[in-house]
Amino acid sequence: MFVRTLTDVMVGNKTIMEGHTAEATKSEGRDLIAKGYAEEVDALDASDVEAKASDVADIDDMTGPELKQYLTERGVEFKSSSRVDDLKDLAKSINQS
């Protein structure tokens, strides 16, 4: 189900700004509509489709296990006992190159 937000609201686990479209589960979409936070639309707006496609993993929001998976998928070796801050720095340096 696709919805257009009528206020800044969480859809899934992302904050969607007022006036943008997002994909929601049927139950979540119905709940947002019933509370007056969104209205149903037929599809995502073109600008929201492009924004969704350009989403990049936000390293600062990742947990330790997510960082380890992210680095492993990119073939980076690291010590399993590394601190989360060290893993974030390593992941950021990879994204910059």
Side-chain angles (χ1 to χ4, degrees), residues 20-96:
H20 289 271
T21 56
E23 187 171 4
T25 63
K26 285 186 181 185
S27 62
E28 181 181 31
R30 288 182 192 136
D31 188 43
L32 291 170
I33 292 167
K35 291 180 179 179
Y37 297 147
E39 60 188 4
E40 186 172 3
V41 293
D42 293 331
L44 295 175
D45 288 342
S47 60
D48 293 325
V49 170
E50 291 171 13
K52 186 176 181 179
S54 67
D55 280 349
V56 177
D58 189 356
I59 293 166
D60 288 325
D61 292 339
M62 289 184 178
T63 63
E66 290 171 333
L67 282 165
K68 289 178 181 181
Q69 179 180 354
Y70 178 82
L71 293 170
T72 301
E73 288 172 353
R74 283 153 185 78
V76 177
E77 294 185 25
F78 55 91
K79 294 180 182 177
S80 61
S81 61
S82 296
R83 293 181 350 179
V84 172
D85 290 339
D86 294 336
L87 293 174
K88 284 182 183 180
D89 292 340
L90 182 58
K92 287 178 184 179
S93 69
I94 292 168
N95 278 349
Q96 290 174 351

